[in-house]
Amino acid sequence: PIEAVRKGVEIIGSKVGDRINVKGVGTTGSGRYLIGDFVGADMVINEITAQATAAADIDNSVDTIFEIGGQDSKFISLEDGVIVDFEMNKVCAAGTGSFLEEQAERFDIKIEDFGDIALKAESPLNLGERCTVFMETNVYSHYQKGASIEDILGGLAYSITMNYINRVVGRKKIGKKIFFQGAVAFNRSVIAAFENYLGKEIIVPENHEVTGAIGAAIKVLENSHKKTKFRGFENISKVSYSHSSFECKGCPNRCEIKKISIKGQPSLFYGGRCEKYEKGDSKSSDIPDYFAERENFLLNSYEPKDNKGAKKVGIPYAMLTHEFYPFWNAFFTELGFDFVLSDKTNKKIINDGLQCSVAETCFPMKTTLGHVQNLLEKGVDYLFLPTTRDMPTKEKNIKGDRTGSYPCPFIQGTWSIVKSAINTGEVKILTPILNFSFKEYIKEKQLTKLGKELGRDRRSIKKAIRQAHLAQNKFYSSVKKRGKEVLSSLKDDEIAIVITSRSYNSCDRAISMDVPKKLRELGFKVIPIDYLPVDSIDLSKEWPNLYWEFGDRIMSAAEIIKKDRRLYPVYITNFGCGPDSFILQYFEREMDRPFLRLEVDEHSAGAGVITRCEAFIDSLMNVRNKKDFPPTQTKTKGKDAVFKKSQGRVIYIPYMGDGAVVLRSAFRSEGINAEMLYSDDETLELGRKYTLGKECYPFIITTGDIIKTLKHNDPKKVAFFMPQTYGPCRFGQ
Ligand code: SF4
Ligand code: SF4
């Protein structure tokens, strides 16, 4: 981007440089910090704020902005000219201009002509909206079957529109006055598709392709600068610079640092995860790092003994270790082992994990594999990969039929994922099954069995168990105590951010992309979820079957946040997280105020995360003075259905296995008409339409089957049989 900017500045300078007086300079867009340093910007403004500022300047009554550019897209909600909510597209390119451009190129059509041709479509094709690969396949197969170019391009205009509405806007509210900004707004067929689908007018403002730049300029003018830092047209256009990159060996992160050397000026550096090279104007120095505090409680709740020279038991510093390290550290150390923790997640660990991943799991799971490799490199004798069947939880969660609160199946099955991915050689894997919430005596039995397996006697095992509980309780009570102090220290008008996520997401700096630190640098206190009194919240009435422990904590945190005007959530999740395909939707439904959702994986870029954080903070500053948050969308609860044989309804049973056939026969033998739900193309189409697409395939199919059945039958004549479970997979949700 540097050369493009240099040339641009040169052209502007040659045309108007001698006639204008530059009052200030702002940069925006994904390269805004780099270019800001290069040109000497007075302000660096995130794209969302810049787009919103321009729109509000053009028309202060605009309440909705659709912005679709070449590489990404944004949705912004405004009230009285200020941002109250926003979303950016995720990794998928399906809803961006570059996708349309690629498709136009396939048919040798200039992107400028796309819109006019598409508007001639007689019957735009349904090409799907989910993913570029599917869409491309659909385009190809329709073309082969003789579909017209007009209908294909018309279909693509609808695809990009639907992708935007479903994947970017989601459940957010589309207002009355909609501006369409970004270069894709040149495409008249996309405007028509939006208008047709929404039944609302879409306004394309003048200079819509550069509204970001206009917004940045307005922001700079609003914040008048006595003397601009602008380097001048001449200096920039004649600047002699070079760029290079190197790997920093300062720590195992091995960041790739990009260096821009400019003659006569200090060099510029980008790409480091720490401040070794980049020294910004961070406001974080006085704000306590609660995540570092929590880590200190985690690692130091047990006074370690020196068992050097003893057999080494290694545990990955990943997943539930962020919760149970005190317990296992005490247990194994008391048993006389050298208890070894893998290094903190770093680039090498992530890469090692990705390389040996054999299945498409979530990012934390892939990283866990890298931690296992790290332990093998440390020469451990044992790998400790327990199956934690359930976790410590509120008493209400272990009453009745429910026997606990579970982690997700990936966590429970970590050892089997490791075994299938990594050759651990001579190293023995310890894989005890452990219950932390289901009946105390079982846990004792399980731990005793583990101790015996390691050749220890009953007395020392008992002592180790006692010390393990003491250490774990010390950790929990330190976290709770500190959380209480932190919450009571917040001023009435203060804004603090709560990271609502699983501990292994938020407390692992590499996995969270250091979001807590980034938010602190923006000047806010950032609180771990377990600093909130989540145990005190009873969800048993509202969410009786929330059987995932972290889901319970997240929804409990939502209740606490809703009652405290000072708290705002940032929800960190991962692409492909099974439980979050439900929990996140529950959370969204419950939350009454803006919150930032960050989906992180190995492809996430730091710049995108910073943009989201900055825009989120801007929106918070705008809503903080509002007296009331919008009322929570209340769950629509119908009357509990009662099935009466006399109603003559047909019971439809999803095909979850051959047992469903037996069930059908059982109903029939009682004189009740029962049928199986059989899936076809329509099932899949409807299922995909009415789900977010993050849920598992069986859920999408079952949803599609139910909707299809309702569509083709009188709803008064059908009933559905949907079995329940207590987890740990998604079925019970
Ligand atoms: S985190 Fe800092 S010290 Fe470590 S590799 Fe990156 S720039 Fe170097
Ligand atoms: S809960 Fe989500 S992030 Fe955690 S292990 Fe399961 S799928 Fe991965």
Side-chain angles (χ1 to χ4, degrees):
I2 291 192
E3 188 49 25
V5 169
R6 193 200 62 75
K7 271 196 183 142
V9 171
E10 186 176 22
I11 295 168
I12 298 170
S14 69
K15 291 196 173 160
V16 296
D18 54 350
R19 284 185 279 132
I20 58 166
N21 174 22
V22 176
K23 283 192 155 185
V25 171
T27 52
T28 187
S30 53
R32 60 191 181 279
Y33 284 100
L34 167 66
I35 300 303
D37 281 341
F38 182 68
V39 299
D42 302 295
M43 275 184 91
V44 177
I45 301 124
N46 70 75
E47 303 94 292
I48 293 165
T49 301
Q51 291 287 356
T53 305
D57 186 71
I58 296 165
D59 182 344
N60 201 44
S61 63
V62 170
D63 55 13
T64 305
I65 301 170
F66 295 170
E67 196 270 344
I68 308 183
Q71 307 298 334
D72 66 13
S73 49
K74 305 168 195 77
F75 168 82
I76 308 169
S77 212
L78 300 169
E79 262 178 42
D80 302 325
V82 295
I83 305 169
V84 287
D85 206 358
F86 70 92
E87 189 52 90
M88 284 172 83
N89 71 324
K90 321 289 174 332
V91 277
C92 181
T96 64
S98 57
F99 174 67
L100 286 186
E101 205 160 345
E102 274 167 31
Q103 299 310 307
E105 265 172 29
R106 282 175 71 168
F107 297 106
D108 241 348
I109 288 168
K110 281 201 227 137
I111 189 69
E112 297 86 332
D113 301 329
F114 187 119
D116 290 342
I117 298 173
L119 283 175
K120 291 190 189 124
E122 282 178 10
S123 174
L125 291 162
N126 179 0
L127 302 169
E129 45 83 25
R130 185 149 305 255
C131 140
T132 47
V133 181
F134 285 133
M135 284 192 226
E136 273 171 2
T137 315
N138 285 344
V139 166
Y140 189 65
S141 87
H142 280 291
Y143 184 60
Q144 281 199 323
K145 286 180 197 154
S148 72
I149 301 285
E150 288 82 359
D151 283 350
I152 291 176
L153 296 194
L156 282 167
Y158 271 107
S159 292
I160 190 173
T161 303
M162 296 310 298
N163 179 282
Y164 181 84
I165 298 285
N166 293 334
R167 315 282 150 217
V168 184
V169 182
R171 288 166 187 261
K172 295 188 187 295
K173 191 177 150 227
I174 296 175
K176 292 192 182 114
K177 193 168 238 181
I178 307 164
F179 266 18
F180 185 11
Q181 299 174 183
V184 173
F186 279 119
N187 190 324
R188 293 198 300 132
S189 63
V190 178
I191 303 170
F194 270 126
E195 289 190 330
N196 206 4
Y197 179 76
L198 296 173
K200 294 184 178 189
E201 187 194 2
I202 302 287
I203 303 163
V204 179
E206 216 184 331
N207 303 316
H208 54 89
E209 73 281 25
V210 288
T211 31
I214 294 171
I218 295 169
K219 277 277 165 209
V220 174
L221 279 180
E222 282 172 1
N223 295 272
S224 63
H225 300 269
K226 279 199 184 113
K227 192 170 178 321
T228 178
K229 293 188 215 146
F230 183 50
R231 294 193 204 284
F233 292 109
E234 181 89 3
N235 289 340
I236 295 170
S237 46
K238 296 223 170 94
V239 74
S240 161
Y241 70 93
S242 62
H243 45 83
S244 55
S245 63
F246 62 92
E247 191 182 74
C248 173
K249 298 197 168 50
C251 81
N253 273 331
R254 300 283 158 120
C255 299
E256 169 138 352
I257 308 290
K258 299 204 168 44
K259 180 180 175 191
I260 315 287
S261 312
I262 305 174
K263 208 173 163 196
Q265 285 173 31
S267 299
L268 308 172
F269 297 94
Y270 300 89
R273 294 186 83 120
C274 74
E275 290 84 11
K276 186 168 175 182
Y277 295 101
E278 299 161 47
K279 306 220 167 10
D281 52 351
S282 156
K283 302 174 194 160
S284 67
S285 49
D286 306 334
I287 303 173
D289 182 349
Y290 300 131
F291 284 82
E293 275 179 5
R294 186 195 182 278
E295 184 168 45
N296 183 35
F297 296 143
L298 184 83
L299 299 181
N300 298 309
S301 285
Y302 170 73
E303 194 71 47
K305 291 180 181 166
D306 187 6
N307 286 348
K308 289 271 167 304
K311 290 252 182 211
K312 289 180 183 172
V313 176
I315 191 166
Y317 198 4
M319 298 294 193
L320 296 188
T321 306
H322 287 275
E323 176 97 11
F324 295 127
Y325 178 74
F327 192 92
W328 297 122
N329 186 21
F331 181 76
F332 284 103
T333 310
E334 291 291 327
L335 288 183
F337 290 96
D338 181 5
F339 195 57
V340 180
L341 189 61
S342 60
D343 294 338
K344 288 184 186 178
T345 308
N346 57 47
K347 207 160 145 191
K348 180 175 183 311
I349 287 181
I350 293 174
N351 286 343
D352 287 351
L354 294 178
Q355 267 173 27
C356 64
S357 253
V358 287
E360 202 33 64
T361 59
C362 60
F363 184 40
M365 190 64 239
K366 290 176 190 163
T367 309
T368 303
L369 297 177
H371 281 277
V372 169
Q373 306 262 33
N374 181 266
L375 288 170
L376 294 175
E377 284 160 19
K378 285 177 188 277
V380 295
D381 302 286
Y382 296 95
L383 273 171
F384 182 57
L385 304 171
T387 293
T388 305
R389 191 177 157 269
D390 52 41
M391 298 174 63
T393 189
K394 303 164 189 166
E395 253 185 48
K396 282 217 159 89
N397 291 344
I398 32 178
K399 276 195 174 143
D401 292 338
R402 175 109 171 255
T403 58
S405 225
Y406 311 105
C408 108
F410 279 157
I411 293 184
Q412 295 189 345
T414 303
W415 66 271
S416 65
I417 297 175
V418 168
K419 269 189 173 172
S420 61
I422 299 171
N423 178 1
T424 53
E426 299 289 295
V427 176
K428 188 167 165 34
I429 305 182
L430 302 171
T431 61
I433 296 176
L434 290 152
N435 293 69
F436 274 95
S437 56
F438 179 61
K439 296 186 184 164
E440 196 61 24
Y441 73 89
I442 287 200
K443 184 169 43 190
E444 298 282 332
K445 242 172 140 175
Q446 291 159 336
L447 292 169
T448 307
K449 192 174 159 215
L450 173 64
K452 282 190 173 163
E453 207 181 310
L454 293 164
R456 300 305 190 256
D457 62 49
R458 196 172 273 276
R459 234 182 95 232
S460 42
I461 297 170
K462 247 190 150 49
K463 188 176 163 233
I465 295 174
R466 203 172 48 245
Q467 291 301 327
H469 281 298
L470 282 175
Q472 190 64 28
N473 289 340
K474 188 174 171 196
F475 166 66
Y476 283 144
S477 58
S478 307
V479 166
K480 272 192 198 126
K481 183 168 165 267
R482 184 63 180 136
K484 216 170 165 183
E485 283 167 15
V486 169
L487 286 181
S488 59
S489 74
L490 295 178
K491 296 188 200 89
D492 284 350
D493 60 348
E494 194 169 350
I495 285 182
I497 312 286
V498 180
I499 306 289
T500 47
S501 76
R502 294 161 182 80
S503 47
Y504 50 84
N505 277 337
S506 57
C507 301
D508 184 319
R509 287 175 192 263
I511 289 196
S512 73
M513 303 207 63
D514 236 346
V515 164
K517 181 175 167 226
K518 290 183 172 106
L519 291 164
R520 264 192 311 119
E521 284 174 352
L522 293 169
F524 294 86
K525 288 182 181 159
V526 189
I527 302 172
I529 190 170
D530 41 13
Y531 272 31
L532 302 187
V534 284
D535 288 356
S536 64
I537 304 296
D538 178 8
L539 296 175
S540 59
K541 283 203 183 76
E542 278 296 289
W543 302 96
N545 199 28
L546 205 54
Y547 45 71
W548 292 305
E549 177 55 23
F550 287 117
D552 187 299
R553 289 185 199 178
I554 289 168
M555 294 309 292
S556 299
E559 290 302 313
I560 295 168
I561 292 167
K562 275 176 8 188
K563 292 192 186 99
D564 192 330
R565 295 187 56 84
R566 302 166 303 175
L567 304 179
Y568 288 82
V570 168
Y571 196 126
I572 302 179
T573 180
N574 305 106
F575 290 101
C577 172
D580 270 352
S581 61
F582 291 87
I583 303 290
L584 192 51
Q585 293 189 63
Y586 302 161
F587 188 84
E588 208 171 347
R589 204 156 68 188
E590 286 296 321
M591 200 32 65
D592 60 351
R593 62 199 69 188
F595 76 97
L596 178 64
R597 176 179 54 190
L598 290 169
E599 273 180 306
V600 177
D601 76 353
E602 60 272 27
H603 306 298
S604 300
V609 170
I610 292 173
T611 300
R612 284 175 164 85
C613 289
E614 288 178 353
F616 177 61
I617 296 301
D618 284 348
S619 68
L620 288 194
M621 302 323 285
N622 296 332
V623 294
R624 69 180 308 185
N625 297 326
K626 286 179 69 174
K627 283 198 185 67
D628 299 305
F629 292 112
T632 313
Q633 296 172 39
T634 42
K635 289 192 283 283
T636 39
K637 248 193 171 175
K639 273 193 211 152
D640 283 345
V642 181
F643 179 82
K644 287 190 192 132
K645 201 171 161 182
S646 57
Q647 291 170 330
R649 290 178 189 252
V650 180
I651 294 189
Y652 286 89
I653 308 163
Y655 183 74
M656 308 292 286
D658 291 345
V661 185
V662 178
L663 207 58
R664 179 181 62 182
S665 306
F667 279 124
R668 285 181 179 174
S669 73
E670 285 298 311
I672 297 168
N673 196 357
E675 291 294 344
M676 309 288 298
L677 286 169
Y678 286 113
S679 312
D680 54 19
D681 286 350
E682 191 184 2
T683 300
L684 199 55
E685 198 185 322
L686 287 169
R688 284 192 164 142
K689 188 169 172 192
Y690 289 98
T691 58
L692 288 186
K694 295 168 190 293
E695 304 87 346
C696 56
Y697 195 65
F699 177 84
I700 294 170
I701 291 286
T702 309
T703 307
D705 275 335
I706 291 176
I707 294 169
K708 186 181 71 181
T709 308
L710 287 169
K711 199 174 146 194
H712 296 296
N713 294 282
D714 176 359
K716 291 200 185 79
K717 290 287 159 207
V718 301
F720 297 97
F721 182 89
M722 196 63 219
Q724 268 280 14
T725 70
Y726 287 118
C729 106
R730 291 177 259 200
F731 186 69
Q733 296 297 306

